[in-house]
Amino acid sequence: MKKLFIAEKPSVAQQFAEALKVKGARKDGFIEDDNYIVTWCVGHLVGMSYPDAYDPALKRWSMDTIPFIPETYKYEVISTVSKQFNVVKQLLNREDVETIYVCTDSGREGEYIYRLVDMQAGVPKDKDRRRVWIDSQTEEEILRGIKEAKPLSEYDSLGCSAYLRAKEDYLMGINFSRALTLKYSYPVKQYLGVDKCVIAVGRVMTCVLGMIVKREREIRDFVPTPFYRVVASIGKKIDEADNTTLFEAEWKAVEGSIYFNSPKLYKENGFKERVDAEQLIEYCDNPVPVEMKIKSLTKKTEKKNPPMLYNLAELQNDCSRLFKISPTETLNTVQELYEKKMVTYPRTDARVLSTAISKEIDKNLRGLCNFQKLAPFAQNILNQGGYKGIAKSKYVNDKLITDHYAIIPTGQGLGQLGKLTAIQAKVYEIIARRFLSIFYPAAEYQKISMVLTRRTEEFNASFKVLSKPGYLVIADPNFGKKKEQASEGASEDEKNTQEQAATEEVLEYISSLRKGSTLSCNGFEIKEGKTSSPKRYTSGSMILAMENAGQLIEDEELREQIKGSGIGTSATRDSIITKLVTNKYINLNKKTQVLTPTFLGEIIYDVVLYSINGLLRADLTASWEKGLTGVADGSISEEEYMSKLSDYVVKYTNAVKAVRNQNQMHVIFDKTKPFYVKSK
């Protein structure tokens, strides 16, 4: 009797064959020897049937045939991969196959890929099926996964959630896209001057489109507000007769100020009108000489801990920002590194390690001693024993892990470094740097804050200097080549809150000062600023926004309720952005990775806004995802979820149908303004 291993891709199957020492020659679609058979899917081999498979009349789009909710769902082999499906089907049903090891990717989508094949191939129910769940493709991890493989039935809830996710996308996509297209595509086609226009909507896709359109309209409608800050140039003590300017101090309207709670203020640190700033200076300039007395002087040490490890969303965001590559390119790159055994499983939401892996983390570190660029850091961690207490740190937490722990280097496969592409090498390096940094101490800053008074007014100054670099020596590849800029990335009206850079000589002088000391003022200056508009999403920041959808929800109770549920999943978020680009609903600037809506995308947004606006709501979209998570962990039944889904689809499909005619939604045709669709 033989054991059959089925992987998701040919390359992964090859890794399993090597780990199992399968000696047989590679045949057409599988590898076999006396004990083992290793085969593979090529992604999805089976998919959901189109509506016309249920009834030929459903091929034509008509209001009479929706809402369409099948009682029993139909599936079919995807024609382009039918040859490999037949190979897999024959192997699954061979009488000499005693045990089937399911080795598709360890996640909801991988579960779905296999279960569809199993169902379509008609595999006998009494065959022993075991689920291999691994975090990397190293030989050691593959063999562990096989040894510890659990009965596939233990993953039935996960499989159920996978089926429901597909049904959800299917029902919403078919019913809502048909309803909106049939009802509203005519005026859109007329306006755009095109022959065809399908209004494609989806549970996640439309919500993301809404986020991009809303942000663009906020920017478009934004009117900059000027504001005027007053800054004093501060010199040495009065009795030192030295007019050197050491630093700047900024005025703030605190309690006791003649401007406290004044309507003339823009926030507490500036004025709406320049004339008011000039009047403040005139007030502070008299009498002469202008002296500033130190009201308070505080010194403290501030620590900055290493960041959490990478999950896929954080990695995609950093790669978008640093390397200007799309989330899809990032996922493909890290997937390639995974298949080369160099990093752990990429499609993860966790940013921590498991207790089990933390106990063996020295193996990863020893492997990185062969990575020439970072070897000294890895060796230092091993020499100092900095890894021994990691299990008790915030970087290890089993409760924060669902399917897989964070993305880290395995320490293996380093012989392939020279064969990596430039972008593969860059992505691998930032993963390795983030990993090594958690074994280093926090960076420490010395912070000095000062409050000075002039008549009734107060001026503030603060300084921050790096005293102990800690983890920054490894986390930042440019450390030592540049000075950390505290204000880097701050908007114009936030920079005043940032700490000033200062020379060691100035800091030494400031440290010698005491409360009550009187310093000279070499003059006042008005600094004009403007409020900044919201920033457009980049491909990376959109991935993070999708992951952290709860932050977009104003209702605190609801925000807490869907905590941990984002829009989409780590495995699908990049494809959502890609689909919006393909549909020409958004543009992706490849150089900057900035996302903007197209004119068509704004039209689709408005149509949905005034018909099925729930599709644009982050809270509703995230709550669907939370429901699927509930099915996966067994807290929500399949029947309960499917009932709510069917009711929702029927209700809103019928709502669109109930609109008597398309003229109930009219279009404001003005190309100088956003396209809006409004109900009469």
Side-chain angles (χ1 to χ4, degrees):
M1 301 298 285
K2 294 187 177 184
K3 296 177 179 178
L4 171 65
F5 296 80
I6 176 167
E8 192 165 315
K9 296 178 182 178
S11 59
V12 179
Q14 187 63 44
Q15 303 281 8
F16 272 80
E18 291 173 5
L20 290 164
K21 307 279 191 298
V22 178
K23 302 297 183 182
R26 181 163 174 164
K27 299 181 181 180
D28 192 5
F30 64 101
I31 307 167
E32 183 176 8
D33 68 6
D34 293 339
N35 299 306
Y36 305 120
I37 307 169
V38 181
T39 189
W40 52 87
C41 303
V42 278
H44 281 275
L45 297 180
V46 177
M48 299 184 79
S49 298
Y50 285 104
D52 54 288
Y54 298 82
D55 184 345
L58 291 170
K59 187 169 186 177
R60 179 177 174 271
W61 288 27
S62 168
M63 288 292 193
D64 296 334
T65 57
I66 55 174
F68 169 63
I69 311 282
E71 288 186 13
T72 303
Y73 286 81
K74 293 186 176 182
Y75 300 85
E76 58 193 53
V77 177
I78 298 169
S79 59
T80 54
V81 290
S82 59
K83 181 180 178 182
Q84 185 61 20
F85 171 80
N86 289 327
V87 169
V88 174
K89 177 182 178 180
Q90 187 268 330
L91 294 171
L92 287 170
N93 287 289
R94 268 175 49 170
E95 291 185 3
D96 62 339
V97 170
E98 180 182 38
T99 306
I100 299 167
Y101 285 86
V102 181
C103 310
T104 48
D105 279 1
S106 305
R108 189 169 71 190
E109 198 64 18
E111 196 73 16
Y112 187 54
I113 285 173
Y114 172 74
R115 286 175 183 261
L116 285 177
V117 171
D118 189 288
M119 176 186 67
Q120 202 70 11
V123 183
K125 298 294 182 185
D126 58 353
K127 272 210 173 177
D128 184 19
R129 300 166 176 81
R130 303 209 156 251
R131 186 59 160 108
V132 177
W133 199 273
I134 58 176
D135 288 298
S136 71
Q137 288 188 9
T138 63
E139 181 175 317
E140 181 182 34
E141 178 69 359
I142 287 173
L143 294 177
R144 181 206 62 76
I146 294 170
K147 181 182 177 182
E148 298 177 6
K150 298 176 182 177
L152 184 65
S153 58
E154 291 196 20
Y155 296 84
D156 282 351
S157 293
L158 179 65
C160 182
S161 74
Y163 272 100
L164 287 174
R165 193 276 307 161
K167 290 175 182 177
E168 182 176 78
D169 289 344
Y170 182 83
L171 292 179
M172 288 190 184
I174 286 175
N175 287 287
F176 294 161
S177 294
R178 289 190 178 197
L180 293 176
T181 299
L182 290 166
K183 186 66 69 172
Y184 303 120
S185 66
Y186 180 73
V188 174
K189 286 190 294 185
Q190 276 193 317
Y191 181 65
L192 293 176
V194 295
D195 296 328
K196 187 177 180 181
C197 176
V198 175
I199 300 176
V201 295
R203 174 179 60 96
V204 179
M205 179 180 74
T206 304
C207 183
V208 174
L209 173 65
M211 292 165 66
I212 295 170
V213 172
K214 281 183 273 190
R215 177 61 57 86
E216 189 66 24
R217 290 183 175 177
E218 287 172 5
I219 294 169
R220 195 181 287 153
D221 296 339
F222 179 79
V223 178
T225 302
F227 57 89
Y228 304 89
R229 297 185 292 120
V230 175
V231 174
S233 297
I234 308 300
K236 294 187 176 182
K237 292 180 181 179
I238 291 292
D239 56 10
E240 293 185 27
D242 186 338
N243 62 357
T244 303
T245 294
L246 296 179
F247 60 90
E248 292 183 339
E250 182 183 29
W251 171 80
K252 285 187 180 179
V254 298
E255 191 170 356
S257 165
I258 58 175
Y259 290 100
F260 184 61
N261 286 338
S262 169
K264 297 178 179 180
L265 292 174
Y266 169 77
K267 297 186 178 178
E268 62 173 6
N269 59 334
F271 295 96
K272 298 174 184 176
E273 303 292 338
R274 186 182 187 93
V275 64
D276 296 312
E278 291 170 345
Q279 288 175 2
L280 172 64
I281 290 176
E282 185 177 345
Y283 172 75
C284 291
D285 254 338
N286 294 291
V288 293
V290 180
E291 299 176 352
M292 306 287 269
K293 190 172 184 178
I294 299 178
K295 179 181 179 181
S296 66
L297 183 67
T298 58
K299 304 171 188 176
K300 66 177 181 179
T301 299
E302 197 174 81
K303 291 187 176 183
K304 182 180 179 183
N305 290 312
M308 304 303 286
L309 294 161
Y310 278 125
N311 62 8
L312 181 58
E314 289 285 341
L315 183 62
Q316 287 171 318
N317 181 51
D318 272 7
C319 288
S320 171
R321 178 175 57 85
L322 296 171
F323 312 135
K324 306 305 179 190
I325 62 173
S326 71
T328 299
E329 290 173 287
T330 299
L331 177 56
N332 290 341
T333 299
V334 72
Q335 178 72 25
E336 289 159 359
L337 292 172
Y338 169 68
E339 291 175 12
K340 293 177 186 294
K341 307 181 184 182
M342 297 180 72
V343 302
T344 55
Y345 189 72
R347 293 174 177 84
T348 176
D349 292 321
R351 300 191 67 193
V352 294
L353 300 174
S354 66
T355 303
I357 193 67
S358 71
K359 293 177 180 177
E360 300 180 345
I361 209 67
D362 59 307
K363 295 178 182 178
N364 304 64
L365 291 166
R366 292 184 200 286
L368 286 175
C369 289
N370 297 312
F371 184 16
Q372 187 175 359
K373 187 176 284 189
L374 301 180
F377 299 105
Q379 192 62 59
N380 180 55
I381 294 166
L382 288 167
N383 293 343
Q384 300 295 324
Y387 62 92
K388 292 180 180 178
I390 197 69
K392 296 180 181 178
S393 73
K394 68 177 183 178
Y395 303 103
V396 176
N397 190 336
D398 293 335
K399 294 179 181 178
L400 297 179
I401 299 171
T402 49
D403 295 336
H404 299 276
Y405 53 79
I407 304 169
I408 61 171
T410 62
Q412 298 188 31
L414 290 167
Q416 302 181 78
L417 277 171
K419 299 177 184 177
L420 297 182
T421 65
I423 197 63
Q424 285 174 341
K426 288 178 179 178
V427 173
Y428 181 75
E429 182 179 337
I430 66 169
I431 293 171
R433 285 184 180 276
R434 177 65 66 92
F435 170 66
L436 291 174
S437 70
I438 71 169
F439 302 100
Y440 271 70
E444 290 188 13
Y445 296 86
Q446 292 303 315
K447 187 173 180 180
I448 302 174
S449 300
M450 186 186 301
V451 177
L452 303 106
T453 58
R454 170 63 177 168
R455 299 184 71 176
T456 59
E457 305 307 310
E458 288 188 5
F459 290 77
N460 295 262
S462 60
F463 311 87
K464 186 176 179 181
V465 61
L466 181 65
S467 55
K468 293 181 182 178
Y471 79 93
L472 293 175
V473 297
I474 174 65
D476 184 358
N478 296 313
F479 185 81
K481 300 176 186 176
K482 64 178 183 179
K483 290 184 177 179
E484 255 197 329
Q485 296 297 317
S487 62
E488 188 176 354
S491 62
E492 190 64 35
D493 56 335
E494 290 175 332
K495 287 184 179 177
N496 56 288
T497 65
Q498 305 293 322
E499 291 82 2
Q500 298 180 52
T503 64
E504 290 184 16
E505 183 181 354
V506 169
L507 285 170
E508 187 177 348
Y509 184 85
I510 292 169
S511 296
S512 70
L513 299 172
R514 297 289 180 270
K515 178 181 176 180
S517 298
T518 302
L519 304 180
S520 63
C521 176
N522 298 330
F524 298 93
E525 179 185 357
I526 296 174
K527 293 195 174 183
E528 181 178 349
K530 288 183 179 179
T531 53
S532 302
S533 66
K535 290 184 178 179
R536 289 184 174 90
Y537 288 109
T538 64
S539 59
S541 65
M542 173 52 71
I543 291 286
L544 281 187
M546 292 167 73
E547 182 184 56
N548 301 309
Q551 295 177 7
L552 304 171
I553 299 166
E554 293 181 7
D555 185 282
E556 187 175 340
E557 185 177 342
L558 185 57
R559 185 168 62 242
E560 183 62 28
Q561 189 180 354
I562 69 162
K563 189 175 181 180
S565 292
I567 298 172
T569 66
S570 57
T572 60
R573 290 178 186 127
D574 67 297
S575 62
I576 294 298
I577 294 174
T578 300
K579 190 170 183 179
L580 285 167
V581 173
T582 302
N583 285 355
K584 298 182 179 179
Y585 291 177
I586 65 171
N587 287 320
L588 170 62
N589 186 310
K590 291 186 177 180
K591 288 185 178 179
T592 63
Q593 290 298 304
V594 168
L595 301 172
T596 51
T598 63
F599 191 58
L600 175 60
E602 292 203 50
I603 292 174
I604 302 301
Y605 169 87
D606 284 319
V607 168
V608 176
L609 179 64
Y610 291 98
S611 54
I612 315 174
N613 61 34
L615 292 174
L616 299 169
R617 286 169 46 198
D619 59 337
L620 187 65
T621 306
S623 69
W624 285 114
E625 198 64 56
K626 187 173 180 67
L628 290 172
T629 303
V631 173
D633 64 26
S635 61
I636 297 175
S637 70
E638 177 184 2
E639 292 74 22
E640 180 186 355
Y641 190 91
M642 199 64 207
S643 174
K644 289 183 178 180
L645 172 61
S646 298
D647 289 348
Y648 183 83
V649 171
V650 169
K651 177 181 178 180
Y652 285 99
T653 302
N654 286 334
V656 174
K657 290 175 64 176
V659 176
R660 288 192 302 277
N661 59 66
Q662 60 198 17
N663 290 328
Q664 279 191 264
M665 295 179 74
H666 69 282
V667 179
I668 299 174
F669 298 107
D670 184 350
K671 291 188 178 182
T672 65
K673 296 179 181 178
F675 179 103
Y676 294 98
V677 177
K678 297 182 179 178
S679 298
K680 277 187 175 180

